[in-house]
Amino acid sequence: MMYAKMYELVRAFSSNQSAPSVFTTISALLSQPNTRNIVMEICQLSGGFATLPFQSTHVPSPITNVSSKDGTPTFIRCSTIRAAVNLSYSEKSEWQSPNRMLILGMGFVGRIFAEKIKNQGWVVSGTCTNVMKKKELEQSGFDVHLFNANETALMILTTLKNYTHLLVSIPPLEGTGDPMLKHGELLRSTLMNGHLQWLGYLSSTGVYGHSGGAWVDEDYPANPTTELGRLRLSAEKGWLNLGRDLGISAQVFRLGGIYGPGRSSVDTIIKQLPLSEGQKMRRARQYTSRIHVDDICQVLSASIDKPSAWNVYNVVDDDPAPREEVFAYAWDLVEKKWPGLLKHRKPRENTESSNEKGSSRGEKRVSNARMKKELGVRLWHPSYKSGLQSIINQMDQPYQCSP
C-alpha cells in the first residue's frame, strides 16, 4: 500500500495533475510515519534546487525507477513539496483557537489589521507577493505564504478550510479578474465543509463612478468608469455569492482613499515624493473620499463582532474635502512643527500642472450612514484634520515617518 501511494505521488507530478490533487496525495503520504519520513528527507535533500529528480537511495527500489511518460526521470518542484509539508502541520494546537484569520494580501491595510488582531490573541496568517516582504512579515511573527496569481492560489486553497475568518485584500488583475475567484468551484467545494464563519472583501468607492457631486450610498447604482472598477464590482458579487452558498457572513467594504502613518499628505510633503497617477487624477476633484487606516480596522472588527448576512458598507470619513485643501492643511502642520523645513519649497499643489482643473471626472460624495448605524462605528478620525494631526504627532523628527 505504501509503495502504491508513493507511485501515485510520482504519477501525479509526471502527468501534470493540478496542485490540489498533488497536495491531497502528499497530505495522505505525510499522514503515515514511513512515507512521511521519505518525503521529509527528499525535501531536506533538495537544498537550493528548484526541482528534484524523484530518484533517491531513500526511496524503496520499486519507486526509484519510475519515469515520466517520455521516459525521462520524474522531477518534483521542491517548493511544492515544502508547501505541502508546511500544510501538513496545520493540525497544530494553534488550530484549536476559536479565532483564526487568513488575510489574502498583507499590504498596508492587511498588515496593520493583522497586527491589531494578533495582539488580541488571534491566530493570523497571510499572503504577499515577494520574498523580502515575506521575510519581513515572518520576523513580525506571522505565518506568510508567497502568492502567485496563477499557481499559489491553488496551494492556498488547501489550507483555507482551517480558518474561521477570511479577509480578501487582493485587487483584481486586468484581463484576469480576481485571482482566487477564477477557481470558484474549487474554492466553494473546499470551504463547504470547513470552519469559515466570516468573509470580508476590501473594495473601493470607485465602483460608483461619476454622480455629478451628488451623495451616494450603498443603494446607489454602481457604474464604474474604469476597467479596474468593473473588475472590482464583479469581484464583489463573486465573494458575496460565495458567502451565500456557504451560508456565512460575507461583507464588502468599499474604501475611500486610504491614508495613515507613512502614507499621507504629510509624508508626501516631508519626503518630497512625486504624485502617483491616481493622486494626479484626484487633484482637481471638488470632492474626494478618504479613510484613516485605524478606522478601517475598527470597521472590520465591528463587522466581525456584529456579523450580518451579506452586506456592503461604504468606509469613508465624514468630510469629502478636495485634495488641494487636504494638502494645504498638511503643509501648515509641517511648517508649524518644524519651522523653516519647507522654506525653499513651494506647495506641491501650486507647482503641479492643473490641466484637469474644473474636471468632474469621478465626482461624488460618499455617505457612511449605514456603516455608523448598523456597525455602531464612531470614527476616530471623522475628518482629515484629526487624522493628519495624529500622524504628525507620532513623528519626533521629519525623517522618522514610516517607509
Side-chain angles (χ1 to χ4, degrees):
M1 178 63 71
M2 179 181 73
Y3 294 155
K5 287 192 175 182
M6 291 296 289
Y7 178 79
E8 183 183 352
L9 169 63
V10 175
R11 296 302 298 171
F13 279 99
S14 61
S15 61
N16 295 318
Q17 290 189 25
S18 65
S21 63
V22 173
F23 275 2
T24 300
T25 308
I26 295 178
S27 296
L29 292 168
L30 291 169
S31 67
Q32 301 183 37
N34 291 337
T35 51
R36 180 187 181 88
N37 291 338
I38 293 171
V39 175
M40 292 292 288
E41 288 179 18
I42 291 171
C43 186
Q44 291 169 358
L45 284 171
S46 65
F49 296 98
T51 58
L52 180 75
F54 201 85
Q55 293 180 337
S56 166
T57 57
H58 295 268
V59 183
S61 57
I63 304 301
T64 54
N65 295 323
V66 173
S67 299
S68 60
K69 293 179 180 178
D70 62 0
T72 60
T74 298
F75 282 80
I76 299 176
R77 289 176 179 269
C78 297
S79 60
T80 305
I81 291 182
R82 291 192 189 94
V85 171
N86 289 336
L87 292 177
S88 73
Y89 288 106
S90 65
E91 299 302 322
K92 293 185 292 186
S93 60
E94 67 179 20
W95 297 114
Q96 303 306 313
S97 168
N99 297 315
R100 306 185 296 276
M101 174 71 75
L102 177 64
I103 300 177
L104 297 179
M106 290 186 72
F108 184 67
V109 174
R111 176 171 182 170
I112 292 176
F113 184 58
E115 289 171 346
K116 288 181 182 294
I117 61 174
K118 184 173 182 289
N119 291 336
Q120 297 169 7
W122 285 63
V123 171
V124 185
S125 300
T127 69
C128 66
T129 57
N130 68 75
V131 175
M132 291 300 294
K133 183 68 177 291
K134 181 176 185 291
K135 290 180 179 179
E136 179 185 336
L137 290 167
E138 287 174 339
Q139 289 173 355
S140 297
F142 297 109
D143 179 27
V144 184
H145 305 273
L146 277 178
F147 184 85
N148 177 289
N150 297 315
E151 181 178 340
T152 319
L154 292 171
M155 298 180 183
I156 292 170
L157 286 175
T158 15
T159 193
L160 261 177
K161 61 183 179 182
N162 292 314
Y163 292 90
T164 58
H165 296 71
L166 172 65
L167 179 64
V168 183
S169 184
I170 299 175
L173 305 174
E174 291 193 15
T176 302
D178 190 288
M180 293 296 291
L181 288 177
K182 70 178 183 178
H183 308 293
E185 289 304 316
L186 187 56
L187 184 63
R188 187 175 288 101
S189 61
T190 300
L191 295 176
M192 191 63 73
N193 298 315
H195 301 281
L196 200 63
Q197 304 166 15
W198 179 92
L199 187 163
Y201 177 71
L202 300 188
S203 185
S204 165
T205 56
V207 299
Y208 291 115
H210 171 54
S211 73
W215 283 96
V216 300
D217 60 16
E218 292 84 353
D219 295 323
Y220 186 89
N223 185 28
T225 57
T226 65
E227 176 65 13
L228 181 59
R230 288 187 283 271
L231 291 174
R232 280 197 184 277
L233 186 60
S234 176
E236 287 184 6
K237 295 176 181 177
W239 287 107
L240 287 175
N241 287 337
L242 177 63
R244 289 189 182 96
D245 293 344
L246 298 176
I248 63 172
S249 173
Q251 319 294 324
V252 165
F253 304 95
R254 291 174 176 167
L255 309 181
I258 303 165
Y259 75 104
R263 179 172 164 169
S264 72
S265 50
V266 168
D267 296 274
T268 300
I269 290 170
I270 291 174
K271 295 180 179 181
Q272 303 184 64
L273 298 173
L275 297 181
S276 67
E277 288 304 312
Q279 288 173 325
K280 290 177 182 177
M281 289 174 59
R282 293 190 295 270
R283 182 179 60 241
R285 291 182 187 169
Q286 185 177 358
Y287 307 108
T288 55
S289 298
R290 62 188 55 79
I291 186 72
H292 193 286
V293 66
D294 286 345
D295 280 320
I296 297 174
C297 295
Q298 180 190 180
V299 170
L300 295 177
S301 294
S303 170
I304 291 171
D305 292 340
K306 298 180 180 179
S308 58
W310 310 289
N311 222 335
V312 176
Y313 294 103
N314 292 333
V315 183
V316 298
D317 67 19
D318 300 336
D319 185 5
R323 186 177 181 280
E324 195 169 349
E325 177 184 315
V326 175
F327 257 71
Y329 184 79
W331 187 277
D332 288 342
L333 286 179
V334 174
E335 283 194 320
K336 288 176 182 176
K337 184 152 187 174
W338 299 291
L341 179 67
L342 307 177
K343 183 170 55 177
H344 301 295
R345 304 187 211 170
K346 293 181 180 180
R348 184 178 299 277
E349 292 299 327
N350 293 336
T351 59
E352 293 289 338
S353 168
S354 298
N355 58 355
E356 292 187 41
K357 203 71 175 178
S359 168
S360 61
R361 181 179 179 183
E363 288 281 17
K364 57 186 169 290
R365 287 177 285 178
V366 182
S367 169
N368 59 19
R370 177 185 288 180
M371 173 192 79
K372 290 179 176 180
K373 180 179 179 181
E374 295 187 7
L375 299 180
V377 170
R378 184 176 180 180
L379 293 172
W380 286 315
H381 304 295
S383 84
Y384 68 87
K385 293 182 179 179
S386 63
L388 294 180
Q389 187 68 63
S390 72
I391 290 170
I392 203 166
N393 286 347
Q394 297 175 42
M395 299 181 184
D396 294 327
Q397 299 294 331
Y399 53 82
Q400 289 183 342
C401 43
S402 302

